Amino acid sequence: MIKACIFDLDGTLSNTLDTISYYGNKALSDFGLPEIEKERYKYLVGTGYIKLIENMFAEIGCTDRDLFDKVAKHYDDMYNADVMYLTKAYDGVAEALDALKAKGMKIGVVTNKPHEIAKGVVKQLFPNIEFDSLEGGRPDVPLKPAPAMLMKMLVDFGVSYRECAYFGDTKVDMTVGSRAEVNTVGVLWGFRDEAELLENGAQFIISKPSEIVPLVERMEAML
């Protein structure tokens, strides 16, 4: 039986592509560097903003370390000043979360976004939904794809890995789910395609948020 559904944040619950690409390109252009096509940012994100900037610099072929540090700080400062700019919930996500709660399911978020920022984003996007737990990036906890945050949430919820479904949109998420041995679901409305999700451990694939609850119901019947 599935007792808990845990979700990645960016690309799964929240559509942050416009936000990330806006701040990324502004950070580049403010230092005279070329901008990157918005769709390419889907493949540059995944393990925190430092890795994002590293991927951006590789994308434009820049190796200037001093400039890297300046762009990274500028990006982080801008993002932290207004984390909700252009960010929105994916259509149908709130309704799916409400339905899961109505079924008595525990729901949680595991994200590499800094913990306090993630809490604020979730509260603003889903003000009427009570999440049972949220784990975001902290200095003393390894980021995904390390499974520590997800496994801590399983302990906090008092559920086994068999009783949990984890939803995410990138290979990082599929790796986390596989390492924690939970039921791992790849979502196609986020940043990556089906091939990447399947290659990295997705057991189930869904294409829109309205499929979340029916999938969980099918999983319950299977287990």
Side-chain angles (χ1 to χ4, degrees):
M1 182 176 182
I2 301 298
K3 296 182 179 179
C5 289
I6 301 174
F7 299 85
D8 169 52
L9 183 54
D10 290 1
T12 302
L13 299 182
S14 62
N15 186 348
T16 53
L17 181 61
D18 287 343
T19 309
I20 292 168
S21 61
Y22 171 79
Y23 286 131
N25 281 337
K26 181 160 177 53
L28 292 172
S29 63
D30 283 354
F31 286 94
L33 296 170
E35 296 186 0
I36 299 168
E37 180 184 359
K38 182 174 75 172
E39 287 297 305
R40 284 296 303 152
Y41 278 91
K42 290 183 177 181
Y43 300 92
L44 304 180
V45 300
T47 52
Y49 85 93
I50 292 296
K51 185 62 176 178
L52 168 65
I53 305 302
E54 289 177 355
N55 290 339
M56 287 163 54
F57 268 54
E59 185 81 3
I60 64 174
C62 181
T63 58
D64 187 323
R65 186 67 206 185
D66 183 59
L67 204 51
F68 174 92
D69 291 339
K70 292 177 180 177
V71 169
K73 183 178 186 307
H74 190 36
Y75 174 90
D76 195 40
D77 288 346
M78 288 190 296
Y79 200 116
N80 290 338
D82 189 0
V83 298
M84 295 305 299
Y85 183 64
L86 301 177
T87 290
K88 57 186 179 182
Y90 286 105
D91 292 341
V93 165
E95 292 81 359
L97 295 173
D98 274 333
L100 291 173
K101 291 292 290 185
K103 288 171 63 66
M105 205 77 63
K106 290 185 180 294
I107 60 172
V109 175
V110 171
T111 174
N112 282 342
K113 191 181 289 293
H115 185 78
E116 292 302 320
I117 292 176
K119 284 173 58 179
V121 170
V122 168
K123 184 63 177 177
Q124 290 189 64
L125 290 180
F126 307 105
N128 300 316
I129 297 173
E130 184 177 350
F131 287 81
D132 296 282
S133 185
L134 182 148
E135 289 291 332
R138 310 172 195 258
D140 58 338
V141 179
L143 297 176
K144 299 183 296 184
M149 290 190 287
L150 178 54
M151 296 180 76
K152 177 182 184 300
M153 192 169 291
L154 293 181
V155 173
D156 291 344
F157 283 172
V159 301
S160 73
Y161 63 90
R162 293 186 182 90
E163 297 170 324
C164 174
Y166 178 65
F167 297 77
D169 68 303
T170 71
K171 63 182 180 182
V172 170
D173 296 306
M174 300 305 96
T175 301
V176 169
S178 297
R179 289 178 176 176
E181 300 184 359
V182 299
N183 300 284
T184 303
V185 184
V187 308
L188 296 180
W189 58 82
F191 290 172
R192 303 291 170 78
D193 60 21
E194 184 172 2
E196 176 179 309
L197 299 174
L198 290 172
E199 288 168 5
N200 288 277
Q203 296 167 287
F204 306 89
I205 297 287
I206 55 177
S207 60
K208 51 185 182 292
S210 62
E211 296 175 356
I212 292 173
V213 175
L215 174 64
V216 171
E217 291 173 344
R218 291 200 304 275
M219 293 166 69
E220 289 184 304
M222 293 165 53
L223 299 175

